[in-house]
Amino acid sequence: MAAEIVRRSLKASNFSLLRNLTSLHTRCFSNLAESVQPESDVPSSSFTFSENSGDADSNYQRKSAIDENIFIKGPKKASSSKEADSVTMPMSFMTGSIVGKRFYQKVTTREAEDGNGWSVMLDYRTLKTPSKRPLKCPTLALAKAIAAEWEYQEADGIRPFTMPLMKLSCTALERVPLTRHKIIEYLMKKFPQDLVFCRAPGDNDLTSGVLERQVEKIDPLLKWVESEFGFKPTVHTSFFGGKQDDGLVSAIGSVLKKTDDCELATIDAIASAAHSLVIALGIFRGRLGIEEAIELIRLEEDLQVDNWGLVEGGHDVDIADLRVQIASAVVFLGLTRSV
């Protein structure tokens, strides 16, 4: 009985309708893939979508359903000559993913062709930024440091996350000149919520130890802010921040506006890692060292680690990552100022 019901149901099914629906969905997906995939003659490390694949005379492409399929093909070959005089890093360089295998043997530095700055050479190629601008370092010391980052790349792949000075240099050359106003505006927007302005409540046994540590470690930095800028900062217990004196806000904004591109890139990088513009300015003005800054940034978390223990693969990785971000920014700032 059951077999008979199944047989009748299958017989009554409209298979042509199912084929049409499937064909329609496949064609829509193919058109969508084409619309979001820009065409470019520049070789890319990613795959592209195309309706045509292989030899145009192949029997496979003569099938009527060819327009309903999506083919993945490799990157197009560059039409330029093999002997290129420069090398441009893809935009994925700024994301931290592995770009590709090491394609060079020797890394050197030389003065830029226009005499303004220093260039890094990968064999005979001049290194360029992801947007194809020549990477011109303001000092020879910075160029040699970036060259060292490229020199220590492994043969199996170029790892941008091991090249923080290269990333900061690209930021200073490309992002800061175009978005300087927005960077300063964002830093000042977050200023009232600065890490050093937030205090733990003192009427709770769970947070009383945190408050004592904050008073001991952070208060000296707040006194420096008052002496440096002429206005006393206001502390608060709200995560949403509190209003600071207009004179202090104006003084901080004036400092940021007077910075050059490399200095603003450094301050922005440190403030992002530290969640504190005050700590970034403390490093920028020479008030804080690397270890002092890290201690202030991790003050509350380190207290929790002291009480409950360190989670391997968690806290230790966070500490190492924070140390790299702060230290590389400090080194970058120093190298841009050296002769």
Side-chain angles (χ1 to χ4, degrees):
M1 182 65 179
E4 181 65 18
I5 294 176
V6 172
R7 185 183 67 79
R8 292 180 179 179
S9 299
L10 291 175
K11 184 176 180 181
S13 299
N14 191 344
F15 290 102
S16 61
L17 177 61
L18 293 176
R19 283 196 300 268
N20 292 335
L21 289 175
T22 304
S23 174
L24 177 60
H25 290 167
T26 304
R27 185 179 296 108
C28 291
F29 180 61
S30 177
N31 293 335
L32 177 61
E34 287 182 295
S35 63
V36 301
Q37 181 64 38
E39 293 187 1
S40 175
D41 293 332
V42 181
S44 171
S45 60
S46 60
F47 288 101
T48 56
F49 291 101
S50 174
E51 290 184 355
N52 299 323
S53 176
D55 187 2
D57 296 330
S58 64
N59 293 330
Y60 184 79
Q61 290 194 4
R62 291 181 179 179
K63 295 182 179 180
S64 59
I66 188 64
D67 292 334
E68 299 174 2
N69 297 326
I70 296 176
F71 300 97
I72 299 179
K73 65 178 182 179
K76 296 180 180 179
K77 295 182 179 180
S79 58
S80 60
S81 61
K82 182 178 180 181
E83 298 295 329
D85 59 355
S86 65
V87 55
T88 302
M89 301 313 301
M91 290 305 298
S92 58
F93 182 89
M94 304 297 286
T95 66
S97 58
I98 297 179
V99 175
K101 293 184 178 180
R102 176 168 174 162
F103 54 89
Y104 54 92
Q105 299 296 326
K106 186 178 181 180
V107 185
T108 57
T109 59
R110 74 175 185 184
E111 190 174 3
E113 294 181 356
D114 58 1
N116 184 21
W118 298 83
S119 300
V120 178
M121 305 295 295
L122 305 182
D123 293 333
Y124 56 86
R125 306 176 183 90
T126 302
L127 183 62
K128 292 186 177 181
T129 64
S131 64
K132 300 183 180 181
R133 294 181 59 187
L135 180 66
K136 293 183 180 180
C137 301
T139 64
L140 177 60
L142 178 60
K144 287 185 175 296
I146 295 175
E149 289 183 333
W150 284 94
E151 181 64 39
Y152 282 95
Q153 294 302 304
E154 300 293 337
D156 63 335
I158 298 174
R159 293 166 172 80
F161 50 85
T162 63
M163 308 168 73
L165 297 179
M166 174 69 182
K167 184 175 181 179
L168 284 168
S169 297
C170 292
T171 300
L173 284 172
E174 298 183 341
R175 177 173 172 247
V176 175
L178 298 178
T179 62
R180 164 176 284 270
H181 175 72
K182 291 185 178 179
I183 293 174
I184 295 176
E185 182 180 9
Y186 180 79
L187 290 173
M188 296 308 303
K189 179 180 178 181
K190 294 295 182 181
F191 179 65
Q193 305 171 13
D194 199 287
L195 175 70
V196 300
F197 298 152
C198 185
R199 290 295 171 89
D203 56 353
N204 191 313
D205 294 338
L206 296 176
T207 59
S208 59
V210 177
L211 178 60
E212 294 175 0
R213 186 79 66 88
Q214 289 174 331
V215 172
E216 176 188 358
K217 299 294 183 180
I218 297 180
D219 274 9
L221 180 62
L222 296 182
K223 291 180 180 178
W224 171 81
V225 171
E226 183 179 1
S227 63
E228 187 78 4
F229 300 102
F231 299 92
K232 184 178 181 179
T234 303
V235 297
H236 51 79
T237 58
S238 173
F239 286 111
F240 299 101
K243 181 176 175 57
Q244 297 295 327
D245 192 292
D246 292 339
L248 179 60
V249 174
S250 177
I252 297 295
S254 178
V255 171
L256 296 179
K257 293 176 182 178
K258 293 179 181 179
T259 57
D260 60 33
D261 292 342
C262 291
E263 291 173 342
L264 185 57
T266 300
I267 293 174
D268 183 43
I270 297 176
S272 177
H275 304 287
S276 171
L277 178 57
V278 173
I279 291 178
L281 291 176
I283 294 175
F284 176 68
R285 290 290 184 92
R287 171 59 179 80
L288 294 175
I290 296 174
E291 294 301 327
E292 291 178 292
I294 293 176
E295 183 182 10
L296 294 180
I297 297 168
R298 291 190 51 82
L299 189 146
E300 296 181 38
E301 191 167 358
D302 284 343
L303 184 61
Q304 297 297 326
V305 170
D306 294 339
N307 293 333
W308 305 103
L310 182 142
V311 178
E312 293 184 0
H315 292 126
D316 51 352
V317 174
D318 291 342
I319 294 172
D321 180 63
L322 179 62
R323 182 168 282 108
V324 169
Q325 294 185 62
I326 300 298
S328 60
V330 173
V331 171
F332 174 76
L333 180 62
L335 292 175
T336 59
R337 292 173 171 177
S338 63
V339 179

